[in-house]
């Protein structure tokens, strides 16, 4: 490590620490969701292959998970692979699947050491068998952990999830388990892949894009949205702290007016 690298690292750590101290632990979002974006552009900017960007993004996954767990966030959900990502060049899809497998293998010990439960949402049947098997095994191996639930959205899209829910609901109605006029919010929530989780209160997207890209459309109805220009491989603990500090400055009205909230 050069002296400049040491100084930069030290300054970064000090900045992260001072941001962390400003966070009000009593008002943390219970569930943070992240659209990790910009791996490809980050790599290309350096004249490297897009896959290098994905590989570098793993360190950001570690930092996000570590900082969220340290703060006391109960749920962290990461959009790792969308239904639409299957349409990318085969070489990139294969590299992402290998990276996923490798990361699960590498991180399982750390997840258990840190009492983090791994979870996955999405069309897991569409994953290559060895990925699915390893993922399900890792989910099983961490199922007793209760400090934080780390959910990977894999082969996930909101429209896929809503269609699945609609199909299941149609079956319930056809079987007479439920009447059409009885269908309410709770009925639908129970059929979503996130049925056992609170809705995300904070949604972060990296890379300067202002889109939701088919991610948790039902669940983010009242989420606070936070966009950062940073590409995902540059995302560090201090970026999560900044997003949470920004979240804590917002007034969440849920359709009410300010005065109603202050009355309590
Ligand atoms: C978006 O960047 C990122 C992805 C499609 C994949 C995310 C994967 C990782 C961070 C690595 C592995 C993660 C886990 C959980 C093991 P992009 O490729 O869309 O970037 P671009 O918008 O610049 O093209």
């Amino acid at each position: 490590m050069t002296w400049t690298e040491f100084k930069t690292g030290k300054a970064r750590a000090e900045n992260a620490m001072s941001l962390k101290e400003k966070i009000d632990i009593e008002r943390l979002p219970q569930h943070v969701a992240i659209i990790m974006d910009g791996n490809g552009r980050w790599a290309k900017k350096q004249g490297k292959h897009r896959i290098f960007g994905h590989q570098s993004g793993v360190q950001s996954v570690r930092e996000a998970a570590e900082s969220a767990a340290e703060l006391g966030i109960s749920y962290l959900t990461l959009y790792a692979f969308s239904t639409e990502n299957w349409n990318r060049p085969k070489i990139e899809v294969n590299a992402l699947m290998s990276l996923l497998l490798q990361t699960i293998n590498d991180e399982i010990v750390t997840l258990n050491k840190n009492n983090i439960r791994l979870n996955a949402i999405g069309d897991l049947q569409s994953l290559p068998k060895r990925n699915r098997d390893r993922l399900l095994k890792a989910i099983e191996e961490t199922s007793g952990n209760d400090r934080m639930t780390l959910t990977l959205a894999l082969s996930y899209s909101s429209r896929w999830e809503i269609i699945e829910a609609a199909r299941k609901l149609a079956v319930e109605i056809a079987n007479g388990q439920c009447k059409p006029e009885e269908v309410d919010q709770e009925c639908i929530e129970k059929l979503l892949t996130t049925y056992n989780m609170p809705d995300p209160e904070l949604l972060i997207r990296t890379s300067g894009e202002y889109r939701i890209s088919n991610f948790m459309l039902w669940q983010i109805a009242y989420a606070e949205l936070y966009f950062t220009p940073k590409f995902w491989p540059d995302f560090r603990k201090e970026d999560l702290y900044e997003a949470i500090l920004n979240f804590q400055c917002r007034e969440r009205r849920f359709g009410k007016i300010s005065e109603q909230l202050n009355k309590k």
Side-chain angles (χ1 to χ4, degrees), residues 9 14-15 25 30 37 47 56 84 143 163 205 211 214-215 230 240 246 251-252 256-257:
E14 283 168 4
N15 177 39
I25 296 300
Q30 214 191 340
D37 194 19
S56 306
E84 292 74 23
S143 60
I163 291 167
R205 182 174 187 142
R211 284 190 293 277
N214 215 348
F215 187 49
K230 279 214 178 163
L240 183 76
N246 184 292
E251 184 180 66
R252 308 190 72 213
K256 295 183 180 170
I257 65 167

Side-chain angles (χ1 to χ4, degrees), residues 86-128:
W86 291 114
N87 299 322
R88 289 192 175 193
K90 201 166 182 312
I91 185 175
E92 185 168 338
V93 171
N94 290 344
L96 278 166
M97 289 301 138
S98 302
L99 192 57
L100 174 70
L101 199 61
Q102 174 80 46
T103 308
I104 295 173
N105 282 332
D106 292 349
E107 302 300 324
I108 186 85
V109 172
T110 314
L111 289 174
N112 275 326
K113 213 189 284 173
N114 290 290
N115 196 12
I116 297 174
R117 187 167 77 95
L118 186 67
N119 178 36
I121 55 172
D123 182 10
L124 306 185
Q125 282 306 317
S126 65
L127 296 175

Side-chain angles (χ1 to χ4, degrees), residues 20-138:
K20 190 179 178 189
E21 280 163 6
K22 290 187 187 125
I23 293 175
D24 179 354
I25 296 300
E26 302 299 317
R27 293 192 304 119
L28 283 175
Q30 214 191 340
H31 184 173
V32 175
I34 309 184
I35 302 176
M36 309 182 287
D37 194 19
N39 294 352
R41 278 166 287 160
W42 180 88
K44 288 194 93 176
K45 231 176 61 179
Q46 304 173 53
K48 304 252 172 67
H49 195 281
R50 295 175 52 83
I51 293 169
F52 178 66
H54 299 313
Q55 289 163 341
S56 306
V58 174
Q59 180 56 25
S60 310
V61 170
R62 279 191 206 106
E63 297 230 1
E66 212 177 285
S67 50
E70 282 166 1
L71 281 173
I73 287 167
S74 304
Y75 296 87
L76 177 68
T77 300
L78 304 176
Y79 202 7
F81 194 86
S82 72
T83 309
E84 292 74 23
N85 286 155
W86 291 114
N87 299 322
R88 289 192 175 193
K90 201 166 182 312
I91 185 175
E92 185 168 338
V93 171
N94 290 344
L96 278 166
M97 289 301 138
S98 302
L99 192 57
L100 174 70
L101 199 61
Q102 174 80 46
T103 308
I104 295 173
N105 282 332
D106 292 349
E107 302 300 324
I108 186 85
V109 172
T110 314
L111 289 174
N112 275 326
K113 213 189 284 173
N114 290 290
N115 196 12
I116 297 174
R117 187 167 77 95
L118 186 67
N119 178 36
I121 55 172
D123 182 10
L124 306 185
Q125 282 306 317
S126 65
L127 296 175
K129 188 176 178 313
R130 61 196 183 120
N131 278 65
R132 190 172 57 248
D133 290 349
R134 186 64 192 100
L135 181 66
L136 295 176
K137 190 158 174 274

Side-chain angles (χ1 to χ4, degrees), residues 186-246:
E186 206 186 326
C187 283
I188 294 176
E189 271 160 7
K190 271 192 199 148
L191 297 171
L192 298 177
T193 60
T194 51
Y195 70 93
N196 51 0
M197 287 187 230
D199 286 342
E201 291 152 272
L202 172 62
L203 173 70
I204 301 171
R205 182 174 187 142
T206 60
S207 94
E209 303 289 359
Y210 299 91
R211 284 190 293 277
I212 303 301
S213 300
N214 215 348
F215 187 49
M216 299 186 104
L217 298 178
W218 173 282
Q219 297 87 341
I220 61 162
Y222 283 101
E224 297 296 326
L225 308 183
Y226 179 85
F227 299 96
T228 165
K230 279 214 178 163
F231 290 136
W232 179 249
D234 286 330
F235 193 90
R236 291 292 173 265
K237 288 186 175 187
E238 54 269 35
D239 298 302
L240 183 76
Y241 300 152
E242 268 177 16
I244 292 170
L245 285 167
N246 184 292

